Amino acid sequence: MNIKVLEMFYEGKRGKEACEDLCVVTDDFVAVIDGVTSKSNFSYEGKTTGKLAAELTAKAIENLPSRSTLEQVIEKINLEMQAFYDTVPFPYEKTEMGLQAVCVIYSLYHRKIWMIGDCQAVVDGRTYINPKKSDQILSEMRAFVIESMKRGNPEISEEEIFRMAREAILPWILEATKFSNDNSTVYGYSILNGEPIPRSLIREISLKEDVCEVILASDGYPVVEPTLEESEKKLRELLAKDPGCCQVYLSTKGVGAGCHSFDDRTYIRFLAE
């Protein structure tokens, strides 16, 4: 068994240096990690909570034994996050504003893909997603607020309307964190934040024994195409038509001032041999 990388790319909405996405490739694992956009002004060594969460998750995966189970992967990542909290004082409520990341991981030994949160995977042309219900609702709400404000306030700039709409849903984005790693409600979702994660909230994909072509991507790509070039082209076309991400593709945020896209993005295509 082997992993053969065909193409790999990452880019931050404000450039590579500030990117909160990471891609990890070892002899045994491939992972795309998406650090959740920070909801506070906290930083440590110049890094946001999203950047820190992505780096700690990557560190854990890079040091995993080849036969690690899903439970062992989560335990290792949680230990890294707990070690951070044990060392660095964190002034905010951790569930709402602490270290958070989502991740899609391929295990060579188990020939499985594990989807923790709302990253994406494509296996031999078939797309798999693991959406967060509250984000879908709040994306609709944001689109509604934008449309309503445009009609009632012609003197307000579109950029200001986008900012106000984001502020309008932000309290509910924080409210949704109450359902993190909670499988007792339809609003529950999986996330790496130092807490146990119910298995039922993690999507698992088993690969066939033959060679498979696999794409792992963060949700910075609204559509994952068969190649990186096609995925980038699709993203450019979408942002040209709908930079606010409120008409063609609905998101909880659009392209902000000084940004190149609405979110950081990572894409890797490889053969699972």
Side-chain angles (χ1 to χ4, degrees), residues 4 8 84 106 130 145 213 226 237 242:
K4 181 180 179 181
M8 179 171 61
F84 174 86
Y106 169 67
N130 193 30
V145 171
E213 182 173 292
E237 291 173 348
D242 184 21

Side-chain angles (χ1 to χ4, degrees), residues 122-136:
V122 181
V123 180
D124 291 334
R126 180 177 176 181
T127 299
Y128 299 85
I129 58 175
N130 193 30
K132 183 178 173 184
K133 188 174 180 67
S134 60
D135 274 357
Q136 295 174 317

Side-chain angles (χ1 to χ4, degrees), residues 24-263:
V24 174
V25 181
T26 72
D27 291 340
D28 304 297
F29 297 94
V30 179
V32 165
I33 305 160
D34 181 356
V36 174
T37 302
S38 302
K39 308 301 188 299
S40 74
N41 294 322
F42 176 86
S43 68
Y44 177 70
E45 297 182 342
K47 299 173 183 178
T48 63
T49 52
K51 183 84 167 177
L52 291 164
E55 289 185 350
L56 292 171
T57 300
K59 179 182 176 183
I61 293 171
E62 287 168 349
N63 292 288
L64 286 172
S66 62
R67 298 190 179 192
S68 296
T69 63
L70 173 58
E71 290 74 17
Q72 290 168 333
V73 171
I74 294 169
E75 180 182 17
K76 180 70 172 176
I77 294 168
N78 284 349
L79 286 172
E80 290 287 348
M81 290 189 176
Q82 190 55 56
F84 174 86
Y85 286 129
D86 289 343
T87 305
V88 180
F90 188 76
Y92 301 103
E93 204 283 320
K94 293 175 185 176
T95 301
E96 281 191 357
M97 298 187 180
L99 306 177
Q100 299 177 52
V102 299
C103 185
V104 54
I105 309 170
Y106 169 67
S107 164
L108 179 66
Y109 177 78
H110 295 287
R111 287 192 70 81
K112 291 181 184 293
I113 295 170
W114 298 311
M115 304 181 74
I116 303 170
D118 55 358
C119 287
Q120 306 176 83
V122 181
V123 180
D124 291 334
R126 180 177 176 181
T127 299
Y128 299 85
I129 58 175
N130 193 30
K132 183 178 173 184
K133 188 174 180 67
S134 60
D135 274 357
Q136 295 174 317
I137 293 169
L138 293 175
S139 295
E140 289 274 4
M141 181 178 175
R142 175 177 169 272
F144 172 78
V145 171
I146 290 170
E147 183 68 18
S148 177
M149 292 189 70
K150 281 182 177 180
R151 295 195 178 197
N153 303 277
E155 74 284 359
I156 303 179
S157 70
E158 188 172 69
E159 183 178 316
E160 180 66 7
I161 287 174
F162 291 160
R163 185 190 67 78
M164 294 170 69
R166 173 69 178 183
E167 287 186 355
I169 66 168
L170 185 55
W172 293 103
I173 291 175
L174 295 176
E175 190 73 12
T177 60
K178 291 180 178 179
F179 304 114
S180 62
N181 299 323
D182 180 357
N183 62 354
S184 69
T185 167
V186 295
Y187 300 105
Y189 63 96
S190 56
I191 194 163
L192 294 162
N193 64 357
E195 301 174 352
I197 305 176
R199 187 69 178 251
S200 60
L201 295 178
I202 298 172
R203 186 162 191 180
E204 183 176 277
I205 304 158
S206 297
L207 273 61
K208 64 180 187 292
E209 291 303 315
D210 295 335
V211 176
C212 296
E213 182 173 292
V214 179
I215 300 168
L216 306 181
S218 64
D219 65 352
Y221 286 101
V223 180
V224 179
E225 297 286 359
T227 67
L228 173 61
E229 181 180 357
E230 291 173 280
S231 298
E232 285 285 306
K233 180 182 177 182
K234 195 73 162 182
L235 176 62
R236 289 193 300 270
E237 291 173 348
L238 184 146
L239 295 180
K241 293 177 183 176
D242 184 21
C245 298
C246 56
Q247 296 174 341
V248 180
Y249 172 74
L250 304 189
S251 175
T252 57
K253 54 185 179 290
V255 180
C259 295
H260 311 296
S261 187
F262 70 98
D263 202 358

